[in-house]
Each structure stands twice: as C-alpha cells, then as structure tokens.
Amino acid sequence: MKQFIAIDQLSLNEHGTLVCKNPSGRYYLRAHFKQGELDGVSCAYSIAITFNILNVLNAEDTSWNRNEHEKATAGWELIRFLNTPSLYPKGISSNDIIKIVKQEYSEFVTIDHTGKRAGIPLKVKECLDNNLPVILQISFDQYETQWIVVVGYAKDKDDKVSYLLTLDSRKDLRIGCFWNGILNLDRCITLKYGFQYITDVVEMVGLDDAIILKKR
C-alpha cells in the first residue's frame, strides 16, 4: 500500500476546496489557479501557487463567498505581471524565473536552481520533507513544455518515492483533492519522454528542470 504525503500548508476548507493557511491562521489563500482564468503561460500560475503556499506576499483573504470574478489577491497581481505579452512572448524559461525573482522578489524569497535532471526526484523529496513546494518543468515533446507545482509524494512498501503529486494549472482541481497530477517515477523508461504523467489523461513526459523558492 502506498503512503501519500503532502506539505503541511495545504488543507481543505469547509467547502472541500484546497487552500493554504496563513501562519497566523486568520485567513486562507487559494492553492490552485487554473489557466484560462487569466490568459498566459503556465509558469505564471505555478509561481503564484508557490508564493501563496509559502505565504510570501501580504495577500488578501481569499474568501470563497466573494465575487468569483474579483481577482485582487497578491497571487492574481503576480499572474497579471507575468502575463504581459510584450515581456514574455514565447513563455517563461527557468532563466526568466530566476531573473524575475531576483529582481522583483528577492526581499521575500531566495531561489535555488537544481540544474541536474538526474537528481531532481531526490531534491524534490528533500524540499517536500521541509514543506517547500517545487516548481517543476516537464516536456511533452521538443516544442511543448509545462510548469507544474509539486506538493507531495507517495512512497511504496519499500519506502521508495514512487509518485510526485502535483498541482497542474492546465487542469481543474476537484473538490476534496490535494493534487490534480501524478508523475509516476516507477514508469520511467530510457527514452527522453519516459515518465508517465497522469491527470485526466495519461501522457509521457520528460523531466526537465526544477526551481525551488524559499521564504526569507
């Protein structure tokens, strides 16, 4: 039987919606953004998700009774900034992320770039054990990539990490769920796109890059 482990910041509110708690416990922030709610690239959403989970910015209370179209939280402001078409017409690379964070948010976070694909699963587990979500880049082919946020993992009976549990901004997050994507580390073959990635469909992906943000 597999053991599923998610970072401590995540919880479900009274409606079964995934939220992350401010350390004071006085308010909750949304823990998942869906692409299409605002136009733009997946990385913008992944950074916003990570910032909210880390409670990096002084975001407003995300009240689930408020008008759904009111996008006033710090997460939304960050997404708007990163979605400026003239700034990133071809999407955001890992170098862009590093530059953005260092220039705009170094007061709030430090950034770590693994740079070694083979070591990503072990590095991700280490971060998750310290309640740090990880922004992960996967690729479907040489043209299409996606940024997702790893928020947990699953271990098999031998205590080996077999799945990474992710929040994927391409996909809906069902009520009562802590993740909407699973990267199957047990189903890796020798091809570049050898990892099985499961959402509402099953896709074969490559594991390309990992960005780790830590709150100062």
Side-chain angles (χ1 to χ4, degrees):
M1 180 179 293
K2 293 186 182 297
Q3 179 183 5
F4 292 85
I5 300 167
I7 57 177
D8 290 345
Q9 296 97 318
L10 297 181
S11 63
L12 300 174
N13 69 8
E14 64 272 23
H15 306 296
T17 303
L18 184 66
V19 294
C20 43
K21 184 186 294 187
N22 172 270
S24 69
R26 292 179 294 181
Y27 60 81
Y28 294 84
L29 306 175
R30 64 185 301 173
H32 176 258
F33 293 103
K34 173 78 182 298
Q35 281 179 264
E37 293 178 308
L38 285 176
D39 293 334
V41 294
S42 61
C43 186
Y45 292 85
S46 294
I47 294 175
I49 288 170
T50 303
F51 273 28
N52 270 9
I53 291 174
L54 293 177
N55 190 42
V56 167
L57 301 178
N58 185 20
E60 295 182 13
D61 180 2
T62 304
S63 169
W64 297 99
N65 294 320
R66 92 171 22 170
N67 187 327
E68 185 179 0
H69 299 291
E70 182 182 349
K71 306 294 197 285
T73 68
W76 284 116
E77 292 302 319
L78 177 62
I79 291 174
R80 286 192 181 98
F81 170 74
L82 294 175
N83 279 340
T84 305
S86 60
L87 290 179
Y88 307 102
K90 297 182 180 180
I92 301 177
S93 68
S94 56
N95 289 333
D96 291 327
I97 297 174
I98 293 168
K99 182 178 178 181
I100 291 165
V101 171
K102 287 185 176 180
Q103 287 184 348
E104 304 292 336
Y105 300 102
S106 60
E107 176 185 352
F108 306 103
V109 296
T110 60
I111 187 166
D112 181 17
H113 182 216
T114 64
K116 295 182 179 180
R117 295 180 185 178
I120 286 177
L122 288 177
K123 185 67 173 179
V124 169
K125 180 185 182 299
E126 177 186 330
C127 291
L128 295 172
D129 286 341
N130 287 284
N131 290 310
L132 294 173
V134 179
I135 303 173
L136 197 67
Q137 185 184 46
I138 57 176
S139 57
F140 304 93
D141 53 42
Q142 60 179 324
Y143 304 107
E144 184 182 0
T145 63
Q146 173 75 12
W147 292 93
I148 55 181
V149 181
V150 188
V151 295
Y153 60 87
K155 296 191 296 185
D156 60 21
K157 61 181 181 180
D158 298 320
D159 211 34
K160 176 186 174 183
V161 175
S162 54
Y163 295 155
L164 296 181
L165 312 174
T166 74
L167 291 175
D168 190 327
S169 63
R170 298 176 305 156
K171 306 294 182 178
D172 291 317
L173 180 64
R174 292 185 298 175
I175 295 297
C177 293
F178 281 75
W179 56 84
N180 61 355
I182 296 175
L183 186 66
N184 188 349
L185 300 179
D186 285 341
R187 292 296 299 274
C188 182
I189 55 180
T190 56
L191 300 176
K192 175 175 172 54
Y193 307 104
F195 288 96
Q196 186 184 64
Y197 184 54
I198 306 163
T199 54
D200 54 352
V201 296
V202 178
E203 301 165 285
M204 299 305 294
V205 303
L207 185 55
D208 295 342
D209 214 337
I211 299 288
I212 300 152
L213 301 178
K214 298 180 182 179
K215 185 177 180 180
R216 287 192 181 276

